[in-house]
Every structure is written in C-alpha cells, then in structure tokens.
C-alpha cells in the first residue's frame, strides 16, 4: 500500500512565523502535490513537483514556497504565516500523470495561525 | 480555469434510501475521478471514468461519465451509514494534475 505521511496532524503558529510542513511518500512516486482545503472552497492546488528539485506553481501559490531535495520528500513553506493561511493542508503523490493519474493523499495537517 | 460544480452541497438521508450527486462543468475533461474523504483523513480514490457515456459500478455505487465528457454522476443504492463522507469529483487537466469540485457532504442516518 502507498503511504503518504505528513509531519503533524495539528499545528498552531503565530502570525509572522516561518512554518514548515513536511510530506513523505514511500512508493517512489515522481509526482507530489500540496493542496489546501477550506470549507466552501474545496481543494485548491498550491504547488506541485514532477521531479527532484523542480516545482511548478498551482492555482494559489502566493505566500507559499516549496522544496524537493529528495524524491520522497516534498516540503511546503510559509515564509511569514498569516491568519488567512489557517487551513487544512493536504499532500498527495502519484505515479502517473494525465489520464490514469491516481493521487494518494496524506491525512492532512490542520494549521491554525493566531 | 476549468471549474467543476458539485450538487447538492449537503445531503442527509435515511439508511436504505437511494441518492444521486452530480458533478458538472462547462469544460471537457480527458477523464474524471471520484474520491471519498472521511473526517480527519485525506481523500481516497473510488473510480476513474475515461470514455464519454462510460458507466462503472462499485458494489452499491454507480458512476457515469456524460457523453460529452463534461459531467458525471454518482448514484448510491440503498445507502448505508458507512457511506457517510465528503464526495469529491476531480477532473484530470492533462499533465498538470487535478481540478477538484467543492464536494458533497453526505450523511446517512441509521
């Protein structure tokens, strides 16, 4: 079974802090994704990566950056956390791209920024 | 931006009833997926439909992809409390990942 793990289930941070959200997958998947999920807005893609050291902006990249130094690990960084970044953050990975893509999700990190 | 509209947003029914939820778009997708998400967990893929008019069955769940590949429906027969969850449709947008609808919150009451 594919396993996607996220470093924390719950996180509380203060406005202005630098926040790191870590994601690790154990199935040698090339593709990794970061989403945020908010009530009434659904899942929105923040950043994705198709290979080590590469990254692509998703639909809402502002205020975020990412790092992919190793194939199995994809980190989401909030350089200076703000209250409007309070959300559920979901990481996903996939083996294929396009038609038959199946994304495997982690359990999520619920971030509260005070 | 390709958008997916899901309806209804919320649905609460009694155990044993049938239901249908819908996923609509003005754009054509190469394929469409349905995920279920339970509280405190990430979404889990239920099915992928690829061909216009395709129908797939997963026990009591029937998924249909519209002929024009712009819409899809999920029909549940004799709903059970274990079907409770958030149902998400997602359109495959070429090589650039998925576009998700906002989801249908389904509650099946015993």
């Amino acid at each position: 079974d594919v396993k996607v793990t996220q470093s924390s289930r719950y996180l509380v941070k203060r406005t202005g802090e630098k926040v790191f959200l870590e994601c690790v997958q154990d199935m040698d998947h090339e593709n990794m994704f970061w989403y945020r999920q908010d009530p009434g807005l659904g899942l929105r893609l923040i950043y994705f990566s198709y290979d080590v050291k590469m990254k692509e902006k998703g639909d809402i990249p502002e205020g975020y950056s990412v790092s992919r130094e190793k194939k199995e690990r994809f980190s989401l960084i909030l350089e200076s956390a703000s209250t409007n970044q309070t959300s559920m953050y979901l990481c996903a990975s996939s083996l294929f791209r396009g038609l038959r893509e199946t994304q495997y999700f982690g359990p999520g990190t619920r971030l509260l920024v005070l | 931006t390709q958008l997916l509209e899901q309806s209804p947003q919320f649905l609460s029914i009694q155990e044993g009833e049938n239901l249908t939820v819908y996923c609509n778009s003005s754009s054509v997708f190469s394929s469409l997926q349905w995920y279920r998400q339970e509280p405190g967990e990430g979404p889990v893929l239920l099915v992928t439909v690829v061909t216009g008019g395709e129908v797939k069955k997963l026990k009591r769940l029937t998924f249909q992809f519209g002929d024009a590949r712009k819409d899809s429906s999920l029909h549940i027969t004799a709903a059970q409390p274990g079907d409770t969850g958030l149902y998400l449709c997602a359109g495959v947008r070429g090589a650039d990942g998925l576009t998700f609808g906002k989801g249908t919150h389904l509650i099946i009451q015993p």
Side-chain angles (χ1 to χ4, degrees), chain B residues 23-84:
Chain B
C23 175
N24 296 296
S25 175
S26 57
S27 303
V28 174
F29 287 94
S30 54
S31 62
L32 214 143
Q33 302 180 338
W34 286 91
Y35 289 77
R36 180 168 70 206
Q37 184 178 18
E38 299 188 15
E41 301 297 330
V44 175
L45 180 68
L46 296 174
V47 76
T48 301
V49 285
V50 179
T51 307
E54 183 177 3
V55 176
K56 280 192 173 178
K57 292 196 173 188
L58 192 67
K59 296 183 182 177
R60 293 174 293 98
L61 279 60
T62 302
F63 304 85
Q64 184 160 6
F65 200 13
D67 290 339
R69 305 205 327 273
K70 293 182 178 181
D71 54 85
S72 181
S73 63
L74 158 59
H75 182 79
I76 301 179
T77 303
Q80 304 291 316
D83 296 327
T84 292

Side-chain angles (χ1 to χ4, degrees), chain B residues 12-23:
Chain B
S12 178
I13 63 171
Q14 295 295 125
E15 181 177 0
E17 293 183 17
N18 301 333
L19 67 107
T20 303
V21 297
Y22 300 93
C23 175

Side-chain angles (χ1 to χ4, degrees), chain A residues 36-54:
Chain A
R36 63 177 285 178
Q37 185 175 29
D38 301 286
L41 295 176
L43 273 79
R44 293 179 291 166
L45 182 63
I46 305 171
Y47 267 98
F48 56 102
S49 169
Y50 289 140
D51 202 352
V52 175
K53 294 194 186 294
M54 71 82 58

